[in-house]
Amino acid sequence: MVPAEFRNKTGTRPGGTRQTVVDMADTQFSLAAFMRLPMQQKLLSIIALSMVVAIAVAGWTWTRTPTFSVLFANVSERDGGNIIAALQQMNAPYKFSESGGAILVPQQQVHELRMRLASQGLPKGGVAGFELMETQKLGMSQFIEQINFQRALEGELTRSIQSLAAVQGARVHLAIPKQTGFMRDDQKPSASVVLNIHPGRQLDPGQVAGIAHMVASSVPLLVAANVNVIDQNGNLLSSEKGSGRNGGLDASQLKYMQDVEASTVRRIESILAPRVGPGNFRAQVTADIDFSQTEQVAETYKPNSTPEISIRSQQVSESGGGIPAAAGVPGALSNQPPVPATAPLTAPPASGTAAAATTAAANAANGRREATTNYELDKTIRHVRQPVGAIKRLSVAVVVNHRKTVAKDGKASYKALSGKEMAQINDLVKEAMGYNKDRGDTLNVQNSPFAEAEAEPVEETPIWKNPTVIGWVLEGLKYLIFAGLAGYLFFGVVKPFLRKLMESASRIPVIPEEPAFAAPGTANYDQKVQAARDLAKQDPKVVANVIKDWVGGNQPAGKV
């Protein structure tokens, strides 16, 4: 008995003979048709379908694979190992770049993972800090301890400097001399800082001075003037006063000078803007600032005038003894008592006369008298300290645009300002700048038409250079490639393969089973023999199975 899956539709010839007819239009690939194929074709079909499914799954997996971005680059081996261990604990996917110098993670997780690793102190930057002091060994010499302390201090300073946004890397070298008990042999410490600045960034003088002061404040007896800061190109970023750079001015002095100039410009702009309109004038100010520190001490003496004489001290000394000897010309005049003196003490003594001789003899006979008088003198002591940052001179230049007039037809014309208007503007600028003729301030106000600058067309960024658009295109291209691959596999491989299988299955003839109600002699014997031969040629296994059933006695009598 022929299995039901090998039956086919039957048709009738014009002569009335029934035969097996294969309808190609109604043939479909089914499990029954697949089972009629030889074993070799079955295996090939299974392998082909498995490859198609594997390619489709691989394409889908590729489209779903996240885009990896750099998490950290140029990290030390110790930091790299700690970062990998932390990522494994977080179950975060990661991989290495082709050169092995960077750790890659999914792009959407870069910022999250960086913050989570930063909470664990990673990466440490490959610089050892005060953790060196935690591994001190017993019996270590004082010299080694001092070296480790200096290394730890350099590492901590390096970490602090690397925390600046514009600094990519840094190295700090400290030269700390050994202290001695002799003052003349005492040496001051110094330091050098090497900065690796991010591309496209730079440090202003204030930031450089801040780095120098931070290093100086971290080392005893170190001053900021002994800290040298250079960049990765060897350019000296720090400068000392009097070294010749910037005229010997430090960052704070330069900033003060710029602030003075900017403040003067703002005052001029605020006073001229309502008068001539914003954008119709330009002002520039140059300030000469005196940063010298001077101290003056003056001590002056004035001559005393007679009414203002004041005695500081007076000392009188007198000495004498014995009877005065007789002197003078004998006679009545010499025997008379002396009269009181009427001349002032300051009068010069008479000389060459008898009175002078008599007075000198009397003084010599009576004794000796000395008087010392000290008078007060006028004295003025003046201590003057000049203020630092005083304005020595201001030079101001102002240019004013011509007045713009718009006619009825819309055309614009420009006309120069009158002399009266220029005088008013000149007076306004003088008051705004604080003009001082005594200190040598200069002011120059000009009236001139402004050259209209042609508006340069702003070049728009092409779409193919826009990073956002590029990301969208790459993401969409992945799905487009997957869709194209899937379409090619279905229409170019699977569908033709299935069509060939259906054609092969449809060409296999099937031995029909006679209906139980059919009358004997209705089928032609030659046709049955020919069908059996064709079946034996195309699929011998089916014929062998049929014969096996016959031999086993399973085929009813009268059946083919």
Side-chain angles (χ1 to χ4, degrees), residues 1-63:
M1 184 176 182
V2 180
E5 59 268 18
F6 291 101
R7 301 176 183 172
N8 240 328
K9 295 182 180 181
T10 58
T12 307
R13 286 186 177 182
T17 304
R18 300 180 66 188
Q19 63 178 0
T20 302
V21 180
V22 179
D23 191 353
M24 295 297 297
D26 297 333
T27 301
Q28 297 181 357
F29 181 76
S30 61
L31 182 59
F34 179 75
M35 295 301 296
R36 290 201 303 269
L37 294 175
M39 184 59 64
Q40 184 178 4
Q41 294 185 1
K42 290 180 182 179
L43 293 176
L44 291 176
S45 61
I46 293 174
I47 294 174
L49 291 176
S50 300
M51 292 179 62
V52 171
V53 173
I55 294 174
V57 172
W60 175 253
T61 305
W62 175 67
T63 57

Side-chain angles (χ1 to χ4, degrees), residues 4-274:
E5 59 268 18
F6 291 101
R7 301 176 183 172
N8 240 328
K9 295 182 180 181
T10 58
T12 307
R13 286 186 177 182
T17 304
R18 300 180 66 188
Q19 63 178 0
T20 302
V21 180
V22 179
D23 191 353
M24 295 297 297
D26 297 333
T27 301
Q28 297 181 357
F29 181 76
S30 61
L31 182 59
F34 179 75
M35 295 301 296
R36 290 201 303 269
L37 294 175
M39 184 59 64
Q40 184 178 4
Q41 294 185 1
K42 290 180 182 179
L43 293 176
L44 291 176
S45 61
I46 293 174
I47 294 174
L49 291 176
S50 300
M51 292 179 62
V52 171
V53 173
I55 294 174
V57 172
W60 175 253
T61 305
W62 175 67
T63 57
R64 303 304 300 173
T65 301
T67 303
F68 281 81
S69 183
V70 177
L71 178 65
F72 293 110
N74 299 325
V75 295
S76 62
E77 295 181 356
R78 177 179 299 179
D79 282 345
N82 295 333
I83 292 172
I84 295 302
L87 293 177
Q88 291 176 352
Q89 293 179 357
M90 299 176 188
N91 293 326
Y94 67 90
K95 65 178 183 179
F96 298 97
S97 62
E98 296 180 357
S99 59
I103 301 175
L104 308 179
V105 295
Q107 186 175 7
Q108 61 273 15
Q109 300 182 8
V110 170
H111 301 289
E112 177 185 358
L113 292 176
R114 283 181 180 175
M115 289 187 291
R116 294 177 66 179
L117 291 173
S119 64
Q120 302 179 15
L122 295 175
K124 296 181 180 179
V127 179
F130 279 116
E131 60 268 15
L132 285 174
M133 310 304 294
E134 300 176 357
T135 59
Q136 296 289 336
K137 297 180 180 180
L138 186 62
M140 184 178 297
S141 64
Q142 184 179 3
F143 176 75
I144 299 298
E145 291 180 354
Q146 183 66 27
I147 292 297
N148 287 341
F149 175 77
Q150 183 171 338
R151 288 181 55 198
L153 185 58
E154 291 175 349
E156 294 296 332
L157 290 174
T158 299
R159 291 176 181 175
S160 300
I161 296 174
Q162 287 179 349
S163 62
L164 299 178
V167 179
Q168 184 178 7
R171 292 196 67 182
V172 178
H173 303 277
L174 299 178
I176 303 177
K178 186 178 180 180
Q179 300 297 327
T180 63
F182 301 95
M183 296 297 296
R184 61 182 180 182
D185 296 335
D186 190 14
Q187 298 180 1
K188 300 298 182 181
S190 60
S192 299
V193 181
V194 181
L195 301 178
N196 186 10
I197 304 175
H198 285 288
R201 298 187 181 183
Q202 61 181 0
L203 295 176
D204 56 28
Q207 291 174 316
V208 176
I211 293 175
H213 282 280
M214 182 192 68
V215 175
S217 302
S218 303
V219 180
L221 303 179
L222 178 60
V223 295
N226 293 336
V227 179
N228 294 324
V229 182
I230 63 174
D231 60 6
Q232 67 269 26
N233 298 322
N235 299 322
L236 181 63
L237 303 180
S238 61
S239 60
E240 301 178 0
K241 290 185 179 180
S243 61
R245 294 189 58 188
N246 300 324
L249 303 180
D250 58 12
S252 60
Q253 293 174 348
L254 289 174
K255 186 177 184 303
Y256 176 76
M257 184 174 63
Q258 294 171 358
D259 291 342
V260 171
E261 295 175 350
S263 176
T264 307
V265 171
R266 286 194 299 268
R267 291 198 300 268
I268 295 174
E269 290 178 348
S270 63
I271 201 68
L272 289 184

